[in-house]
Amino acid sequence: MTPEQKALAVAVAAQLNLAPAPGTEDHWARVFNLPDDGKLYFSSGRQRGQLHISASVANGLREHRPYYREREAPKTSMNVSESKDAQQIAADVRRRLLPEYERELAACAANKAKHDDNNAKRVAALTKVAAPFGERVQCDEQSGEPRPLSIDREGKFSLTAKPYCEAVKLEIGVSPEIAGKIAALLAAL
């Protein structure tokens, strides 16, 4: 970005009441925080005399972006002429970019809520399996998804429980004699 483009980006962000994102001073673009932890990026446009502006949802929501068919995705980037003043560009951002960004944000938030609800159901289902053995359910640190549960009682049995949306898959390794007893219990359900 040229010094003029950087100054224009700062002026537009001021019109939008956006603060610079910390730690992005040496970034390839000027980056500003949106109120919901998203980011607004200003960079050089593809053509001379243009400023490229794009919005991105918060890091925790990006993985929850829905799949869009061709031309259905929100248009969360735009090019504007550098000849416009900061007030005009800010008005363009409010009118053209932010509504599309908010549409994407809402879709990501809905998908995240559904994902979190499914995770909670899977953790609850695994907890019902783990509790009688005094075990605890472990979750992946990044995704929050529960890890398969493995219980091994040497010589007696081994049990692996894997969570799915509406079910738990159990893999039980036992002697043929115990397998017959388990089958009888299951048949009585």
Side-chain angles (χ1 to χ4, degrees):
M1 289 183 74
T2 66
E4 294 81 16
Q5 289 174 326
K6 290 177 183 178
L8 183 56
V10 169
V12 172
Q15 289 285 320
L16 297 169
N17 295 320
L18 301 177
T24 60
E25 293 79 27
D26 295 330
H27 200 267
W28 54 270
R30 288 288 164 245
V31 185
F32 298 90
N33 286 328
L34 291 169
D36 48 37
D37 292 331
K39 302 283 185 256
L40 190 66
Y41 296 87
F42 291 83
S43 60
S44 298
R46 287 186 183 154
Q47 296 178 354
R48 177 176 281 201
Q50 286 190 335
L51 189 64
H52 182 75
I53 306 170
S54 62
S56 177
V57 296
N59 287 341
L61 292 176
R62 284 187 193 150
E63 66 189 61
H64 300 286
R65 285 189 74 206
Y67 172 78
Y68 293 106
R69 296 193 187 279
E70 191 173 333
R71 294 187 174 96
E72 288 180 350
K75 298 194 184 337
T76 56
S77 68
M78 65 183 203
N79 291 313
V80 295
S81 173
E82 292 175 17
S83 63
K84 291 183 174 183
D85 65 24
Q87 193 171 5
Q88 290 173 315
I89 295 173
D92 283 348
V93 169
R94 281 189 198 99
R95 180 177 52 82
R96 292 172 43 201
L97 187 66
L98 292 181
E100 291 291 298
Y101 166 77
E102 289 168 2
R103 181 168 72 103
E104 180 173 58
L105 178 66
C108 290
N111 283 350
K112 183 178 184 328
K114 189 184 330 181
H115 176 266
D116 291 348
D117 183 52
N118 285 337
N119 264 357
K121 288 177 183 176
R122 289 191 297 247
V123 168
L126 273 185
T127 300
K128 288 178 183 176
V129 174
F133 299 104
E135 299 285 338
R136 291 187 44 208
V137 176
Q138 302 291 322
C139 294
D140 183 81
E141 293 171 4
Q142 287 184 336
S143 68
E145 294 182 11
R147 293 187 176 129
L149 180 67
S150 293
I151 300 168
D152 189 9
R153 299 293 190 257
E154 293 179 21
K156 294 185 179 180
F157 68 90
S158 65
L159 173 75
T160 302
K162 297 177 183 176
Y164 293 94
C165 291
E166 298 295 325
V168 175
K169 180 179 179 182
L170 295 177
E171 294 176 7
I172 304 171
V174 295
S175 68
E177 188 175 295
I178 294 176
K181 291 177 182 180
I182 292 172
L185 287 171
L186 291 173
L189 292 178

